[in-house]
Amino acid sequence: MLNLVIALAINGIVWGLIIALIAVGLSIIFGLLDVINLAHGDFFMVGTVFAWGILELTGNFWLALLIVPLLGLLLGIAVHLLVIKPIGQQAALTIVATFGLSIILQEGTRATFGATPRRLLPPIDGTIPLLGIEYDIYRLVAALISITAISGFFLFLHKTKFGTWMRAVRQNREAAITMGIPAGRIFTATFALGTALAALGGAVAAPITTVDFRAGVDILPFCFMAVIIGGLGNLQGTVAAAVLLSFMEGVITSVADPTVARITSLCLMCGVLLLRPQGLFAGLVR
């Protein structure tokens, strides 16, 4: 029983880091563009399908891991220019537009990829001893990749000129535009980066989960919970909340049904909205 708890807890942390990678992309899109992106989970799904397709063509998973974020960038640019930009800053319309986009991505994937779920073999076989159990090496590698990608994004956000522009537009859009910051390019780049992070999360998760045209359906609510519990616009809080939620669900799943674990997460989100609407980590993590 103890080994099961340890295994599921570690699985929760690993999966939480992958979710954090996806949720950060959702958070920057919402925080900067005021876009409620209901297609974000499907960007994750597209990332898993891209990884599967590139692996089938090249036989090299690591090459797929490099190419998928670039394809995600291109997809994000196209979606922003063709879908998001024409409707402007109208939240209600973004819900309708991204919901339609979600259906298009799912049905388009089912028409081309097929409805049968596929599995990717982990690129690294074997296990290592960890806290008294034998644990899959690739899952630890996936956690390391996620940490590296999230850290790289935060460095980009705080150490580059473009990242400074993004933060300036996010904090005060009118003042940033007045100072000559190219807001239009920032909006497109932000949406593209958010999409690339989701697609990368899909590529990292592909050997752990199944490659399926409905893979993003369960991911999206979890990402929204992480964003809400972490605090709207608080990127570090979003990362912390994603790991906390996934760890908590992993531990609960070891002693109860997975449905109970998800209900617990929803109850936590409701409690945060009622008692601390600014987010659980607001003021604690910046």
Side-chain angles (χ1 to χ4, degrees):
M1 183 64 183
L2 178 60
N3 287 345
L4 177 63
V5 173
I6 292 173
L8 291 176
I10 298 174
N11 281 346
I13 294 173
V14 171
W15 188 244
L17 289 168
I18 297 173
I19 291 292
L21 184 60
I22 307 163
V24 164
L26 180 65
S27 184
I28 62 170
I29 289 173
F30 177 76
L32 186 63
L33 304 178
D34 294 328
V35 172
I36 302 173
N37 186 11
L38 299 184
H40 199 73
D42 297 293
F43 294 154
F44 163 86
M45 177 272 294
V46 169
T48 65
V49 174
F50 281 162
W52 180 86
I54 295 171
L55 181 61
E56 286 291 301
L57 289 174
T58 66
N60 190 327
F61 175 79
W62 306 112
L63 181 62
L65 207 60
L66 294 175
I67 295 176
V68 167
L70 300 179
L71 295 176
L73 277 173
L74 296 177
L75 175 63
I77 291 172
V79 169
H80 184 262
L81 294 179
L82 298 176
V83 179
I84 304 300
K85 189 175 180 180
I87 62 179
Q89 307 294 327
Q90 301 183 59
L93 287 181
T94 64
I95 294 173
V96 175
T98 56
F99 178 71
L101 176 62
S102 172
I103 295 175
I104 290 172
L105 289 174
Q106 289 179 30
E107 295 304 317
T109 302
R110 181 166 68 168
T112 55
F113 173 75
T116 304
R118 316 286 176 85
R119 291 299 301 258
L120 264 69
L121 293 176
I124 301 176
D125 293 325
T127 61
I128 60 172
L130 181 65
L131 299 178
I133 64 172
E134 292 292 324
Y135 198 74
D136 290 341
I137 295 175
Y138 176 72
R139 287 180 179 266
L140 297 177
V141 172
L144 181 60
I145 294 171
S146 299
I147 292 171
T148 302
I150 293 169
S151 301
F153 173 73
F154 282 129
L155 286 175
F156 167 80
L157 204 59
H158 291 276
K159 300 297 182 180
T160 67
K161 183 178 181 180
F162 204 88
T164 302
W165 286 354
M166 287 176 62
R167 289 187 290 117
V169 172
R170 181 164 163 259
Q171 291 181 6
N172 193 322
R173 182 177 305 180
E174 290 74 18
I177 294 173
T178 302
M179 295 177 63
I181 293 176
R185 283 164 48 194
I186 297 296
F187 294 156
T188 301
T190 299
F191 197 92
L193 281 172
T195 305
L197 289 173
L200 176 59
V204 173
I208 298 175
T209 185
T210 57
V211 182
D212 181 20
F213 78 101
R214 298 279 291 173
V217 173
D218 289 333
I219 294 294
L220 184 64
F222 201 99
C223 289
F224 270 116
M225 284 193 291
V227 171
I228 292 169
I229 292 173
L232 295 176
N234 188 340
L235 299 181
Q236 291 91 338
T238 296
V239 173
V243 176
L244 172 64
L245 282 174
S246 193
F247 174 79
M248 180 183 72
E249 287 197 5
V251 173
I252 293 173
T253 301
S254 66
V255 295
D257 190 87
T259 303
V260 175
R262 183 53 51 92
I263 291 173
T264 304
S265 295
L266 290 169
C267 290
L268 175 60
M269 182 185 71
C270 293
V272 170
L273 286 173
L274 289 172
L275 302 176
R276 194 176 171 85
Q278 71 272 29
L280 192 62
F281 298 99
L284 302 177
V285 182
R286 294 187 181 277

